[in-house]
Amino acid sequence: MAEFVYPPVIGAALTAFRALDVRIKIVGAEHIPAEGGAVLVSNHISYLDFLFAGLGAYRGGKRKTRFMAKDDVFKHRISGPLMRGMKHIPVDRTDGQPAYEAAVRALKAGEVVGVFPEATISRSFMLKKFKTGAARMAADSGTPLLPVVLWGTQQLWTKGRPKTLTKRHVPVTIMIGEPIHLGPDDKPVMVTRKLRAAMSEMLDQAQREYLGKPAGADDTWWQPTHLGGTAPTLEVAEAEDEAEALAKAERRAARG
């Protein structure tokens, strides 16, 4: 089923991007493995990141990435059939073990599995703390980690901002790094640190080389503070995340 669903979805996305003149730049496509399993690890700055990260792997080697995503998306009447048809992996945040096991099985079967180790979108557009799940999956499946960094996607649709899906001429960078192969004695915590350090360097390069500029003083929200933008700092963004999580927990408790 996936092979009938995935290519048309990619085709539809590319058609939309062309109509909006989204200026996609893919760097490092040669690092996409031609075959075999790999854990594609991407930063997370937009609700559309799975499209662009998946596009990088598809354009680079015709690889179809099976992303791990919260199970609510699979329950939606429109997105649900598409997510299942593309063999993405639903994650129940109250019990993630079944999703983890499904991901390891897919990796051992030679699939590319997509993971966002920050779990949620970064409001600062810089790298948050990484969870170790990607490194553990790579170790358990005997597959490499494939670091991917996206930049520019936050201008289209991100947390706390209105959708701007009709915004034209937005440059988007998809940067793919060298695979990280794990040794038998590598510890997930140390591998995760190495992965985050590599992706931090990639993100810095993507930001330095990015061709997009703010349209004016009111258009600096998508740039981090060290680039002169007005996005919240990592510390402020973390506090906002904690406040949001607390409010959600209180609402769940109130519903009983």
Side-chain angles (χ1 to χ4, degrees):
M1 180 65 175
E3 310 318 316
F4 294 104
V5 176
Y6 215 119
V9 170
I10 290 289
L14 286 173
T15 298
F17 296 155
R18 282 193 293 268
L20 294 172
D21 191 29
V22 177
R23 297 171 181 178
I24 300 172
K25 175 184 177 183
I26 300 177
V27 180
E30 68 275 9
H31 297 312
I32 299 293
E35 58 184 17
V39 184
L40 186 155
V41 186
S42 175
N43 66 325
H44 203 6
I45 54 176
S46 163
Y47 290 111
L48 303 177
D49 288 341
F50 72 97
L51 281 175
F52 287 99
L55 176 61
Y58 192 73
R59 279 266 189 92
K62 297 299 180 184
R63 302 301 306 272
K64 303 175 184 67
T65 305
R66 319 303 180 183
F67 282 94
M68 302 183 76
K70 60 183 180 180
D71 56 3
D72 288 349
V73 182
F74 291 79
K75 298 174 183 177
H76 191 275
R77 63 184 181 86
I78 296 175
S79 63
L82 292 174
M83 296 293 283
R84 290 189 293 273
M86 289 185 284
K87 292 185 180 179
H88 294 313
I89 302 170
V91 180
D92 181 346
R93 290 191 175 179
T94 64
D95 181 14
Q97 189 61 28
Y100 181 89
E101 293 172 356
V104 171
R105 286 196 300 271
L107 289 163
K108 288 182 176 180
E111 298 277 12
V112 177
V113 173
V115 177
F116 295 107
E118 299 165 283
T120 57
I121 290 174
S122 172
R123 301 172 191 260
S124 70
F125 310 127
M126 300 301 293
L127 297 182
K128 299 165 61 175
K129 295 177 182 177
F130 279 19
K131 297 182 181 298
T132 60
R136 289 188 291 111
M137 282 192 291
D140 288 347
S141 62
T143 58
L145 293 162
L146 187 65
V148 173
V149 158
L150 306 173
W151 191 247
T153 62
Q154 73 272 33
Q155 293 192 65
L156 298 171
W157 185 16
T158 193
K159 180 178 286 189
R161 301 288 306 186
K163 294 180 189 178
T164 51
L165 298 179
T166 57
K167 187 173 182 179
R168 295 177 58 79
H169 316 306
V170 175
V172 168
T173 300
I174 305 169
M175 185 170 290
I176 304 160
E178 294 185 13
I180 298 174
H181 296 272
L182 281 67
D185 298 325
D186 286 337
K187 304 299 183 185
V189 170
M190 299 306 296
V191 172
T192 301
R193 289 178 182 172
K194 178 180 179 181
L195 171 67
R196 190 180 183 280
M199 290 177 62
S200 181
E201 290 184 9
M202 291 166 61
L203 181 59
D204 181 62
Q205 180 182 347
Q207 291 172 342
R208 289 197 317 269
E209 297 176 357
Y210 188 66
L211 297 179
K213 303 294 181 184
D218 295 332
D219 190 41
T220 60
W221 62 267
W222 56 269
Q223 286 194 317
T225 53
H226 74 278
L227 294 178
T230 54
T233 63
L234 272 171
E235 293 75 17
V236 170
E238 184 176 338
E240 291 176 350
D241 286 341
E242 291 176 355
E244 182 181 71
L246 179 60
K248 286 182 178 178
E250 291 175 346
R251 288 197 294 271
R252 284 195 297 268
R255 290 196 297 266

